[in-house]
Amino acid sequence: MPVEDNTREIESTIVTDLRERMSYGSYLGLDTLLASQHPRSEPEHHDELLFIIQHQTTELWLKLVIHELDDARRLLAADDLGAALKRIARVKHIQEVLTQQWSVLATLTPTEYAQFRGALANASGFQSAQYRLVEFALGNKHERMLKVFESSPDDHAALAAELERPSLYDEFLRHLARRGHAVPTAVLERDVRKAHVYSEELVPVFQRIYEGADDNWRAYETCEELVDLEDNFQFWRFRHLRTVTRTIGRKTGTGGSSGVDFLQRALDLTFFPELYAVRTRIEE
């Protein structure tokens, strides 16, 4: 039966006096978080808040992705593959949320965006230090990218440190070598400051893992988890490309890039090329 006044009684045990207690808002720092949206358009355009919140929430999720990838690498280095896979699984779910978020920004029409785009000046997602940290952690390193962050010492230092650190793929390959897989020495001793490039000698290692999955189940499972990570990252890139295309067409990016053409070229970048190449080699 419906409640007569359509309300729910507050239970007597619920804490209502929070003057000297930790509250939901204070725990989450909501005073700061919800006061951090500062539209720059004059007069303020209605849709600029959407643009700001879209990018701020993306940065919050990227912070968590970095947190999980950092620990996944630590766990791989300690040969704790099960726990590392849990971290990777969480990253995959975050990636799905990030990709779905583009559908919200895609409600911004070209006419609406044009009315406040000038207020961004040279601000651009290309300048996201956290996005670069994620790319570096997954292996797509580019030392010249650090120049973009010279005006932000903390970001520059974080990226410089990440440049020196083995990527997630590097740590997985080292784990495989410690487990007796014939990972080429050249791959294990490569310069981790550089982006990983395709190694023909590494493909047979993965072929043996895939064709002997029953005997190499955890390694096999990790290979597929990494493929999921890369696929998700490419889906995110593609949705970014399509959202930009429908919002600004082929205009130059606010940060000075060629816009859509620049984003299109990112789709050719790969983190784990051998995990895709091995599919052609697997015996039927």
Side-chain angles (χ1 to χ4, degrees), residues 4-5 40 56 73 78 122 132 135 144 186 205 216 219 248 253 259 265 270 282:
E4 288 187 6
D5 62 358
R40 303 300 180 94
Q56 287 182 337
R73 284 181 288 174
N122 294 125
R132 297 301 164 197
E135 281 207 327
R144 290 179 58 192
V205 176
N216 302 284
I248 65 168
R265 291 195 294 275
T270 182
I282 295 172

Side-chain angles (χ1 to χ4, degrees), residues 233-249:
F233 206 96
Q234 291 289 44
F235 293 151
W236 185 91
R237 283 171 168 163
F238 182 74
R239 286 300 304 273
H240 184 194
L241 169 68
R242 297 307 303 171
T243 302
V244 170
T245 301
R246 68 181 287 164
T247 307
I248 65 168

Side-chain angles (χ1 to χ4, degrees), residues 49-101:
L49 185 62
L50 159 63
F51 191 85
I52 292 171
I53 289 177
Q54 167 88 21
H55 290 83
Q56 287 182 337
T57 53
T58 295
E59 291 294 332
L60 286 172
W61 284 122
L62 289 176
K63 182 173 183 177
L64 185 54
V65 168
I66 293 164
H67 179 69
E68 299 298 339
L69 291 178
D70 282 349
D71 205 45
R73 284 181 288 174
R74 179 188 66 81
L75 292 163
L76 283 172
D79 293 324
D80 190 348
L81 195 54
L85 287 174
K86 176 64 187 297
R87 306 294 186 266
I88 293 171
R90 183 172 292 162
V91 171
K92 287 167 51 180
H93 285 291
I94 297 168
Q95 287 178 308
E96 292 172 4
V97 172
L98 286 169
T99 298
Q100 287 299 319
Q101 280 191 183

Side-chain angles (χ1 to χ4, degrees), residues 244-245 248-252 258-261:
V244 170
T245 301
I248 65 168
R250 306 194 76 83
K251 292 178 182 176
T252 300
S258 57
V260 167
D261 289 341

